[in-house]
């Protein structure tokens, strides 16, 4: 089955109090449990924000170059995500919709490309 990433950028989410975040967590738990019961849930994390960025890394002359913090070119960063394994786009949209409603903030759905197996022949 295809794998999908359902995600949101931290900038899409308005400021919340600690109590509001706890309420969002409680409202999304049943959706995650339903995903697990349906056998589509791979993994998720909703605790990402600007404070969780460890570093950025780019390649220069074949060597990694590490920079503290997020990419300089962008102020946006991933706020949270769920990876799911479902049969088609319609199913991915269903689960993204459930998350959007439970959290009351936008979600984005991306399909991971199917892996292509290659074999080296001598």
């Amino acid at each position: 089955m295809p794998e999908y990433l359902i995600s949101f950028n931290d900038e899409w989410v308005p400021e919340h109090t600690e109590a509001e975040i706890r309420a969002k967590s409680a409202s999304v738990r049943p959706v995650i449990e339903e995903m697990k019961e349906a056998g589509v849930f791979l993994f998720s994390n909703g605790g990402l924000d600007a404070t969780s960025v460890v570093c950025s890394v780019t390649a220069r002359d074949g060597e990694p170059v590490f920079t503290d913090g997020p990419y300089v070119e962008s102020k946006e960063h991933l706020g949270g995500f769920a990876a799911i394994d479902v049969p088609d786009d319609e199913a991915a949209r269903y689960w993204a919709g459930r998350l959007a409603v439970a959290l009351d903030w936008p979600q984005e759905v991306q399909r991971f490309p199917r892996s292509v197996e290659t074999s080296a022949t001598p």
Side-chain angles (χ1 to χ4, degrees):
M1 284 195 295
E3 295 173 340
Y4 293 81
L5 178 69
I6 302 170
S7 63
F8 65 90
N9 282 359
D10 193 49
E11 292 75 19
W12 301 347
V13 179
E15 290 295 320
H16 285 72
T17 65
E18 195 171 316
E20 289 171 324
I21 292 294
R22 277 198 293 285
K24 296 289 185 186
S25 178
S27 69
V28 79
R29 265 189 235 117
V31 178
I32 298 296
E33 285 306 312
E34 190 177 342
M35 288 175 158
K36 289 178 180 178
E37 289 169 10
V40 302
F41 181 82
L42 297 175
F43 59 92
S44 70
N45 189 313
L48 305 175
D49 63 19
T51 64
S52 66
V53 175
V54 174
C55 70
S56 297
V57 61
T58 59
R60 185 178 304 140
D61 299 325
E63 295 294 325
V65 177
F66 295 90
T67 306
D68 290 341
Y71 291 109
V72 177
E73 299 85 22
S74 173
K75 293 184 180 190
E76 290 187 359
H77 59 276
L78 188 62
F81 66 90
I84 60 173
D85 187 6
V86 294
D88 53 35
D89 292 358
E90 184 178 339
R93 291 169 61 100
Y94 168 79
W95 291 112
R98 295 290 310 281
L99 291 172
V101 169
L103 293 167
D104 193 29
W105 57 60
Q107 302 292 310
E108 181 174 274
V109 179
Q110 296 178 329
R111 184 184 331 101
F112 289 106
R114 294 191 188 271
S115 10
V116 178
E117 291 187 9
T118 59
S119 60
T121 54

Tab-separated table of all heavy atoms in Angstrom, residues 7-66:
chain	number	residue	atom	x	y	z
A	7	SER	N	0.741	16.256	7.586
A	7	SER	CA	1.548	17.150	8.412
A	7	SER	C	0.944	18.539	8.484
A	7	SER	O	0.050	18.892	7.734
A	7	SER	CB	2.963	17.241	7.841
A	7	SER	OG	2.939	17.803	6.541
A	8	PHE	N	1.481	19.316	9.417
A	8	PHE	CA	1.127	20.727	9.504
A	8	PHE	C	2.369	21.516	9.878
A	8	PHE	O	3.265	21.008	10.539
A	8	PHE	CB	0.005	20.972	10.523
A	8	PHE	CG	0.371	20.663	11.945
A	8	PHE	CD1	0.926	21.636	12.771
A	8	PHE	CD2	0.165	19.402	12.469
A	8	PHE	CE1	1.261	21.352	14.087
A	8	PHE	CE2	0.492	19.103	13.780
A	8	PHE	CZ	1.052	20.077	14.592
A	9	ASN	N	2.412	22.747	9.409
A	9	ASN	CA	3.492	23.653	9.794
A	9	ASN	C	3.109	24.337	11.094
A	9	ASN	O	1.944	24.689	11.294
A	9	ASN	CB	3.744	24.712	8.718
A	9	ASN	CG	4.524	24.166	7.551
A	9	ASN	OD1	4.907	23.005	7.528
A	9	ASN	ND2	4.752	24.999	6.564
A	10	ASP	N	4.074	24.550	11.955
A	10	ASP	CA	3.822	25.193	13.230
A	10	ASP	C	3.204	26.580	13.032
A	10	ASP	O	2.376	27.016	13.819
A	10	ASP	CB	5.126	25.285	14.029
A	10	ASP	CG	4.891	25.653	15.470
A	10	ASP	OD1	4.031	25.023	16.119
A	10	ASP	OD2	5.562	26.583	15.956
A	11	GLU	N	3.569	27.259	11.960
A	11	GLU	CA	3.063	28.605	11.701
A	11	GLU	C	1.578	28.619	11.347
A	11	GLU	O	0.948	29.668	11.388
A	11	GLU	CB	3.852	29.270	10.563
A	11	GLU	CG	5.287	29.571	10.923
A	11	GLU	CD	6.166	28.323	10.942
A	11	GLU	OE1	5.790	27.290	10.357
A	11	GLU	OE2	7.233	28.377	11.565
A	12	TRP	N	1.010	27.487	10.985
A	12	TRP	CA	-0.408	27.407	10.650
A	12	TRP	C	-1.285	27.385	11.895
A	12	TRP	O	-2.501	27.482	11.813
A	12	TRP	CB	-0.714	26.163	9.842
A	12	TRP	CG	0.014	26.043	8.544
A	12	TRP	CD1	0.722	27.023	7.882
A	12	TRP	CD2	0.115	24.878	7.739
A	12	TRP	NE1	1.245	26.517	6.722
A	12	TRP	CE2	0.891	25.199	6.606
A	12	TRP	CE3	-0.367	23.585	7.856
A	12	TRP	CZ2	1.198	24.287	5.604
A	12	TRP	CZ3	-0.077	22.668	6.867
A	12	TRP	CH2	0.699	23.028	5.745
A	13	VAL	N	-0.664	27.183	13.049
A	13	VAL	CA	-1.396	26.966	14.291
A	13	VAL	C	-1.288	28.215	15.164
A	13	VAL	O	-0.190	28.670	15.462
A	13	VAL	CB	-0.807	25.752	15.045
A	13	VAL	CG1	-1.548	25.524	16.352
A	13	VAL	CG2	-0.851	24.513	14.172
A	14	PRO	N	-2.416	28.776	15.570
A	14	PRO	CA	-2.350	29.946	16.448
A	14	PRO	C	-1.781	29.571	17.820
A	14	PRO	O	-1.739	28.392	18.183
A	14	PRO	CB	-3.807	30.400	16.551
A	14	PRO	CG	-4.625	29.215	16.184
A	14	PRO	CD	-3.785	28.365	15.282
A	15	GLU	N	-1.371	30.578	18.554
A	15	GLU	CA	-0.874	30.342	19.918
A	15	GLU	C	-1.958	29.681	20.759
A	15	GLU	O	-3.137	30.016	20.631
A	15	GLU	CB	-0.453	31.666	20.562
A	15	GLU	CG	0.796	32.266	19.962
A	15	GLU	CD	2.038	31.406	20.186
A	15	GLU	OE1	2.200	30.840	21.286
A	15	GLU	OE2	2.826	31.293	19.245
A	16	HIS	N	-1.559	28.725	21.580
A	16	HIS	CA	-2.479	28.023	22.461
A	16	HIS	C	-1.941	28.075	23.884
A	16	HIS	O	-0.725	28.063	24.095
A	16	HIS	CB	-2.608	26.546	22.059
A	16	HIS	CG	-3.436	26.316	20.848
A	16	HIS	ND1	-3.028	26.634	19.588
A	16	HIS	CD2	-4.676	25.778	20.722
A	16	HIS	CE1	-3.952	26.304	18.720
A	16	HIS	NE2	-4.967	25.788	19.385
A	17	THR	N	-2.848	28.065	24.845
A	17	THR	CA	-2.434	27.926	26.237
A	17	THR	C	-2.076	26.461	26.471
A	17	THR	O	-2.429	25.585	25.661
A	17	THR	CB	-3.573	28.323	27.198
A	17	THR	OG1	-4.651	27.383	27.033
A	17	THR	CG2	-4.044	29.749	26.941
A	18	GLU	N	-1.442	26.193	27.574
A	18	GLU	CA	-1.098	24.809	27.908
A	18	GLU	C	-2.369	23.957	28.046
A	18	GLU	O	-2.410	22.816	27.600
A	18	GLU	CB	-0.289	24.770	29.204
A	18	GLU	CG	0.393	23.452	29.433
A	18	GLU	CD	1.365	23.503	30.597
A	18	GLU	OE1	2.121	24.480	30.711
A	18	GLU	OE2	1.360	22.532	31.384
A	19	ALA	N	-3.414	24.532	28.605
A	19	ALA	CA	-4.684	23.799	28.762
A	19	ALA	C	-5.298	23.491	27.389
A	19	ALA	O	-5.836	22.402	27.175
A	19	ALA	CB	-5.664	24.610	29.604
A	20	GLU	N	-5.206	24.425	26.447
A	20	GLU	CA	-5.736	24.189	25.107
A	20	GLU	C	-4.961	23.085	24.386
A	20	GLU	O	-5.549	22.253	23.702
A	20	GLU	CB	-5.692	25.483	24.284
A	20	GLU	CG	-6.694	26.522	24.742
A	20	GLU	CD	-6.489	27.865	24.080
A	20	GLU	OE1	-5.325	28.258	23.832
A	20	GLU	OE2	-7.501	28.538	23.811
A	21	ILE	N	-3.647	23.061	24.566
A	21	ILE	CA	-2.825	22.011	23.956
A	21	ILE	C	-3.198	20.654	24.543
A	21	ILE	O	-3.320	19.665	23.825
A	21	ILE	CB	-1.318	22.297	24.120
A	21	ILE	CG1	-0.925	23.515	23.279
A	21	ILE	CG2	-0.473	21.084	23.777
A	21	ILE	CD1	-1.050	23.313	21.774
A	22	ARG	N	-3.402	20.600	25.863
A	22	ARG	CA	-3.820	19.340	26.491
A	22	ARG	C	-5.174	18.891	25.938
A	22	ARG	O	-5.391	17.712	25.691
A	22	ARG	CB	-3.876	19.484	28.010
A	22	ARG	CG	-2.530	19.310	28.671
A	22	ARG	CD	-2.639	19.022	30.162
A	22	ARG	NE	-3.143	20.090	30.978
A	22	ARG	CZ	-2.488	21.189	31.351
A	22	ARG	NH1	-1.316	21.383	31.000
A	22	ARG	NH2	-3.022	22.107	32.097
A	23	ALA	N	-6.075	19.839	25.716
A	23	ALA	CA	-7.394	19.499	25.160
A	23	ALA	C	-7.261	18.977	23.733
A	23	ALA	O	-7.936	18.014	23.357
A	23	ALA	CB	-8.314	20.726	25.208
A	24	LYS	N	-6.378	19.590	22.928
A	24	LYS	CA	-6.142	19.112	21.552
A	24	LYS	C	-5.583	17.693	21.591
A	24	LYS	O	-5.970	16.836	20.808
A	24	LYS	CB	-5.169	20.016	20.801
A	24	LYS	CG	-5.657	21.411	20.581
A	24	LYS	CD	-6.766	21.460	19.567
A	24	LYS	CE	-7.144	22.906	19.301
A	24	LYS	NZ	-8.290	23.030	18.442
A	25	SER	N	-4.664	17.458	22.501
A	25	SER	CA	-4.070	16.123	22.635
A	25	SER	C	-5.143	15.094	22.973
A	25	SER	O	-5.174	14.004	22.393
A	25	SER	CB	-2.984	16.155	23.711
A	25	SER	OG	-2.432	14.880	23.894
A	26	ALA	N	-6.034	15.455	23.876
A	26	ALA	CA	-7.115	14.536	24.251
A	26	ALA	C	-8.069	14.307	23.078
A	26	ALA	O	-8.556	13.191	22.881
A	26	ALA	CB	-7.876	15.087	25.455
A	27	SER	N	-8.307	15.334	22.257
A	27	SER	CA	-9.251	15.176	21.150
A	27	SER	C	-8.676	14.369	19.996
A	27	SER	O	-9.416	13.749	19.239
A	27	SER	CB	-9.736	16.540	20.653
A	27	SER	OG	-8.697	17.234	20.004
A	28	VAL	N	-7.345	14.361	19.857
A	28	VAL	CA	-6.737	13.631	18.739
A	28	VAL	C	-6.418	12.177	19.107
A	28	VAL	O	-6.328	11.327	18.232
A	28	VAL	CB	-5.492	14.374	18.200
A	28	VAL	CG1	-4.272	14.135	19.072
A	28	VAL	CG2	-5.218	14.005	16.757
A	29	ARG	N	-6.283	11.876	20.388
A	29	ARG	CA	-5.956	10.498	20.798
A	29	ARG	C	-6.918	9.453	20.243
A	29	ARG	O	-6.470	8.417	19.751
A	29	ARG	CB	-5.871	10.400	22.319
A	29	ARG	CG	-4.453	10.551	22.792
A	29	ARG	CD	-4.291	10.237	24.279
A	29	ARG	NE	-3.664	11.403	24.865
A	29	ARG	CZ	-4.186	12.188	25.776
A	29	ARG	NH1	-5.360	11.915	26.294
A	29	ARG	NH2	-3.552	13.240	26.225
A	30	PRO	N	-8.230	9.678	20.282
A	30	PRO	CA	-9.138	8.668	19.717
A	30	PRO	C	-8.929	8.451	18.213
A	30	PRO	O	-9.097	7.331	17.718
A	30	PRO	CB	-10.535	9.233	20.001
A	30	PRO	CG	-10.350	10.185	21.133
A	30	PRO	CD	-8.969	10.742	20.980
A	31	VAL	N	-8.571	9.495	17.489
A	31	VAL	CA	-8.324	9.350	16.045
A	31	VAL	C	-7.079	8.486	15.821
A	31	VAL	O	-7.079	7.580	14.982
A	31	VAL	CB	-8.168	10.723	15.354
A	31	VAL	CG1	-7.867	10.550	13.873
A	31	VAL	CG2	-9.423	11.563	15.552
A	32	ILE	N	-6.030	8.744	16.591
A	32	ILE	CA	-4.807	7.935	16.478
A	32	ILE	C	-5.108	6.480	16.840
A	32	ILE	O	-4.656	5.557	16.160
A	32	ILE	CB	-3.682	8.500	17.372
A	32	ILE	CG1	-3.300	9.920	16.926
A	32	ILE	CG2	-2.468	7.580	17.386
A	32	ILE	CD1	-2.716	10.047	15.549
A	33	GLU	N	-5.885	6.262	17.892
A	33	GLU	CA	-6.261	4.893	18.278
A	33	GLU	C	-7.064	4.214	17.165
A	33	GLU	O	-6.854	3.038	16.877
A	33	GLU	CB	-7.047	4.895	19.596
A	33	GLU	CG	-6.184	5.135	20.810
A	33	GLU	CD	-5.006	4.164	20.909
A	33	GLU	OE1	-5.203	2.948	20.758
A	33	GLU	OE2	-3.875	4.647	21.138
A	34	GLU	N	-7.956	4.965	16.529
A	34	GLU	CA	-8.736	4.404	15.420
A	34	GLU	C	-7.816	4.041	14.249
A	34	GLU	O	-8.003	3.017	13.596
A	34	GLU	CB	-9.801	5.404	14.977
A	34	GLU	CG	-10.793	4.824	14.008
A	34	GLU	CD	-11.881	5.810	13.624
A	34	GLU	OE1	-12.091	6.811	14.336
A	34	GLU	OE2	-12.522	5.562	12.589
A	35	MET	N	-6.818	4.890	13.978
A	35	MET	CA	-5.842	4.579	12.926
A	35	MET	C	-5.101	3.279	13.248
A	35	MET	O	-4.892	2.445	12.371
A	35	MET	CB	-4.819	5.710	12.782
A	35	MET	CG	-5.337	6.973	12.163
A	35	MET	SD	-4.013	8.214	12.229
A	35	MET	CE	-4.535	9.301	10.932
A	36	LYS	N	-4.710	3.133	14.516
A	36	LYS	CA	-4.006	1.905	14.931
A	36	LYS	C	-4.903	0.685	14.755
A	36	LYS	O	-4.467	-0.337	14.226
A	36	LYS	CB	-3.541	2.029	16.389
A	36	LYS	CG	-2.404	3.008	16.571
A	36	LYS	CD	-2.029	3.131	18.040
A	36	LYS	CE	-0.892	4.115	18.237
A	36	LYS	NZ	-0.544	4.281	19.663
A	37	GLU	N	-6.161	0.797	15.197
A	37	GLU	CA	-7.094	-0.322	15.074
A	37	GLU	C	-7.350	-0.683	13.616
A	37	GLU	O	-7.538	-1.855	13.284
A	37	GLU	CB	-8.405	0.010	15.781
A	37	GLU	CG	-8.275	0.037	17.296
A	37	GLU	CD	-9.494	0.621	17.993
A	37	GLU	OE1	-10.533	0.841	17.324
A	37	GLU	OE2	-9.393	0.867	19.211
A	38	ALA	N	-7.327	0.315	12.731
A	38	ALA	CA	-7.538	0.081	11.300
A	38	ALA	C	-6.279	-0.446	10.620
A	38	ALA	O	-6.322	-0.826	9.449
A	38	ALA	CB	-8.003	1.369	10.618
A	39	GLY	N	-5.166	-0.457	11.353
A	39	GLY	CA	-3.916	-0.977	10.803
A	39	GLY	C	-3.231	-0.046	9.814
A	39	GLY	O	-2.409	-0.495	9.020
A	40	VAL	N	-3.549	1.262	9.853
A	40	VAL	CA	-2.947	2.201	8.909
A	40	VAL	C	-1.880	3.079	9.548
A	40	VAL	O	-1.096	3.710	8.851
A	40	VAL	CB	-4.023	3.106	8.243
A	40	VAL	CG1	-5.058	2.243	7.539
A	40	VAL	CG2	-4.675	4.055	9.230
A	41	PHE	N	-1.837	3.147	10.854
A	41	PHE	CA	-0.931	4.039	11.570
A	41	PHE	C	0.498	3.499	11.552
A	41	PHE	O	0.737	2.346	11.895
A	41	PHE	CB	-1.410	4.185	13.022
A	41	PHE	CG	-0.586	5.102	13.858
A	41	PHE	CD1	-0.789	6.467	13.798
A	41	PHE	CD2	0.377	4.614	14.716
A	41	PHE	CE1	-0.044	7.324	14.590
A	41	PHE	CE2	1.130	5.460	15.505
A	41	PHE	CZ	0.916	6.822	15.445
A	42	LEU	N	1.448	4.328	11.136
A	42	LEU	CA	2.865	3.955	11.185
A	42	LEU	C	3.536	4.624	12.381
A	42	LEU	O	4.077	3.961	13.237
A	42	LEU	CB	3.571	4.327	9.888
A	42	LEU	CG	3.069	3.607	8.635
A	42	LEU	CD1	3.760	4.139	7.384
A	42	LEU	CD2	3.279	2.102	8.772
A	43	PHE	N	3.510	5.970	12.431
A	43	PHE	CA	4.036	6.711	13.575
A	43	PHE	C	3.646	8.176	13.437
A	43	PHE	O	3.227	8.615	12.374
A	43	PHE	CB	5.546	6.555	13.724
A	43	PHE	CG	6.333	7.007	12.525
A	43	PHE	CD1	6.814	8.307	12.421
A	43	PHE	CD2	6.597	6.124	11.490
A	43	PHE	CE1	7.533	8.712	11.312
A	43	PHE	CE2	7.314	6.517	10.375
A	43	PHE	CZ	7.782	7.832	10.289
A	44	SER	N	3.771	8.933	14.525
A	44	SER	CA	3.450	10.357	14.483
A	44	SER	C	4.211	11.096	15.570
A	44	SER	O	4.772	10.485	16.475
A	44	SER	CB	1.948	10.587	14.662
A	44	SER	OG	1.552	10.279	15.977
A	45	ASN	N	4.202	12.425	15.458
A	45	ASN	CA	4.758	13.289	16.489
A	45	ASN	C	4.158	14.654	16.289
A	45	ASN	O	4.221	15.213	15.198
A	45	ASN	CB	6.272	13.365	16.412
A	45	ASN	CG	6.854	14.084	17.615
A	45	ASN	OD1	6.387	15.143	18.008
A	45	ASN	ND2	7.863	13.493	18.197
A	46	GLY	N	3.561	15.200	17.313
A	46	GLY	CA	2.952	16.518	17.223
A	46	GLY	C	3.621	17.533	18.106
A	46	GLY	O	3.087	18.602	18.341
A	47	GLY	N	4.806	17.216	18.618
A	47	GLY	CA	5.464	18.124	19.549
A	47	GLY	C	6.619	18.892	18.959
A	47	GLY	O	7.556	19.224	19.655
A	48	LEU	N	6.565	19.172	17.665
A	48	LEU	CA	7.662	19.880	17.021
A	48	LEU	C	7.361	21.369	16.953
A	48	LEU	O	6.246	21.767	16.661
A	48	LEU	CB	7.882	19.335	15.610
A	48	LEU	CG	8.110	17.834	15.498
A	48	LEU	CD1	8.194	17.427	14.040
A	48	LEU	CD2	9.369	17.431	16.225
A	49	ASP	N	8.360	22.188	17.244
A	49	ASP	CA	8.239	23.631	17.068
A	49	ASP	C	9.651	24.199	16.938
A	49	ASP	O	10.620	23.456	16.866
A	49	ASP	CB	7.455	24.283	18.215
A	49	ASP	CG	8.126	24.145	19.572
A	49	ASP	OD1	9.348	23.868	19.639
A	49	ASP	OD2	7.435	24.338	20.578
A	50	ALA	N	9.767	25.503	16.927
A	50	ALA	CA	11.070	26.137	16.711
A	50	ALA	C	12.084	25.730	17.773
A	50	ALA	O	13.285	25.679	17.503
A	50	ALA	CB	10.917	27.654	16.677
A	51	THR	N	11.619	25.395	18.970
A	51	THR	CA	12.557	25.027	20.035
A	51	THR	C	13.097	23.607	19.874
A	51	THR	O	14.067	23.247	20.520
A	51	THR	CB	11.886	25.129	21.419
A	51	THR	OG1	10.819	24.171	21.494
A	51	THR	CG2	11.342	26.521	21.659
A	52	SER	N	12.471	22.791	19.009
A	52	SER	CA	12.911	21.403	18.863
A	52	SER	C	13.937	21.211	17.752
A	52	SER	O	14.445	20.117	17.567
A	52	SER	CB	11.703	20.485	18.630
A	52	SER	OG	11.095	20.778	17.392
A	53	VAL	N	14.230	22.276	16.999
A	53	VAL	CA	15.182	22.161	15.898
A	53	VAL	C	16.582	21.969	16.456
A	53	VAL	O	17.053	22.756	17.275
A	53	VAL	CB	15.131	23.411	14.991
A	53	VAL	CG1	16.205	23.337	13.916
A	53	VAL	CG2	13.762	23.556	14.368
A	54	VAL	N	17.250	20.916	16.023
A	54	VAL	CA	18.617	20.637	16.456
A	54	VAL	C	19.609	21.333	15.546
A	54	VAL	O	20.518	22.025	15.997
A	54	VAL	CB	18.881	19.117	16.489
A	54	VAL	CG1	20.337	18.821	16.786
A	54	VAL	CG2	17.972	18.446	17.494
A	55	CYS	N	19.444	21.133	14.246
A	55	CYS	CA	20.357	21.741	13.295
A	55	CYS	C	19.817	21.591	11.885
A	55	CYS	O	18.846	20.891	11.662
A	55	CYS	CB	21.749	21.110	13.375
A	55	CYS	SG	21.819	19.412	12.761
A	56	SER	N	20.466	22.264	10.967
A	56	SER	CA	20.252	22.065	9.535
A	56	SER	C	21.566	21.555	8.975
A	56	SER	O	22.627	21.859	9.505
A	56	SER	CB	19.905	23.391	8.849
A	56	SER	OG	18.706	23.902	9.355
A	57	VAL	N	21.492	20.772	7.917
A	57	VAL	CA	22.724	20.258	7.313
A	57	VAL	C	22.619	20.371	5.799
A	57	VAL	O	21.575	20.088	5.223
A	57	VAL	CB	23.032	18.811	7.769
A	57	VAL	CG1	21.938	17.858	7.359
A	57	VAL	CG2	24.372	18.341	7.262
A	58	THR	N	23.666	20.839	5.182
A	58	THR	CA	23.757	20.908	3.735
A	58	THR	C	25.066	20.242	3.327
A	58	THR	O	25.907	19.939	4.177
A	58	THR	CB	23.760	22.371	3.228
A	58	THR	OG1	24.868	23.059	3.811
A	58	THR	CG2	22.464	23.074	3.588
A	59	ALA	N	25.221	20.017	2.046
A	59	ALA	CA	26.473	19.433	1.543
A	59	ALA	C	27.273	20.514	0.832
A	59	ALA	O	26.723	21.279	0.040
A	59	ALA	CB	26.168	18.293	0.583
A	60	ARG	N	28.545	20.573	1.130
A	60	ARG	CA	29.447	21.483	0.438
A	60	ARG	C	30.720	20.724	0.125
A	60	ARG	O	31.372	20.197	1.028
A	60	ARG	CB	29.761	22.702	1.300
A	60	ARG	CG	30.608	23.736	0.562
A	60	ARG	CD	30.910	24.984	1.370
A	60	ARG	NE	29.692	25.629	1.851
A	60	ARG	CZ	29.573	26.159	3.073
A	60	ARG	NH1	30.578	26.111	3.930
A	60	ARG	NH2	28.452	26.732	3.434
A	61	ASP	N	31.036	20.640	-1.150
A	61	ASP	CA	32.240	19.933	-1.600
A	61	ASP	C	32.284	18.499	-1.087
A	61	ASP	O	33.331	18.009	-0.664
A	61	ASP	CB	33.506	20.690	-1.176
A	61	ASP	CG	33.581	22.080	-1.769
A	61	ASP	OD1	33.127	22.251	-2.930
A	61	ASP	OD2	34.071	23.002	-1.078
A	62	GLY	N	31.121	17.842	-1.074
A	62	GLY	CA	31.057	16.447	-0.661
A	62	GLY	C	31.127	16.221	0.838
A	62	GLY	O	31.233	15.085	1.286
A	63	GLU	N	31.033	17.288	1.621
A	63	GLU	CA	31.088	17.167	3.086
A	63	GLU	C	29.850	17.812	3.700
A	63	GLU	O	29.350	18.823	3.197
A	63	GLU	CB	32.338	17.889	3.629
A	63	GLU	CG	33.654	17.271	3.199
A	63	GLU	CD	33.867	15.878	3.767
A	63	GLU	OE1	33.441	15.626	4.917
A	63	GLU	OE2	34.451	15.039	3.054
A	64	PRO	N	29.365	17.260	4.822
A	64	PRO	CA	28.218	17.880	5.483
A	64	PRO	C	28.635	19.168	6.197
A	64	PRO	O	29.708	19.230	6.792
A	64	PRO	CB	27.764	16.818	6.490
A	64	PRO	CG	28.982	16.010	6.761
A	64	PRO	CD	29.796	16.034	5.489
A	65	VAL	N	27.779	20.174	6.109
A	65	VAL	CA	27.996	21.428	6.825
A	65	VAL	C	26.779	21.631	7.726
A	65	VAL	O	25.656	21.758	7.238
A	65	VAL	CB	28.155	22.620	5.848
A	65	VAL	CG1	28.304	23.924	6.620
A	65	VAL	CG2	29.326	22.390	4.906
A	66	PHE	N	27.005	21.645	9.036
A	66	PHE	CA	25.930	21.752	10.011
A	66	PHE	C	25.770	23.189	10.484
A	66	PHE	O	26.747	23.886	10.708
A	66	PHE	CB	26.216	20.853	11.223
A	66	PHE	CG	26.234	19.394	10.874
A	66	PHE	CD1	27.410	18.771	10.495
A	66	PHE	CD2	25.064	18.650	10.918
A	66	PHE	CE1	27.432	17.424	10.161
A	66	PHE	CE2	25.081	17.308	10.582
A	66	PHE	CZ	26.257	16.692	10.208
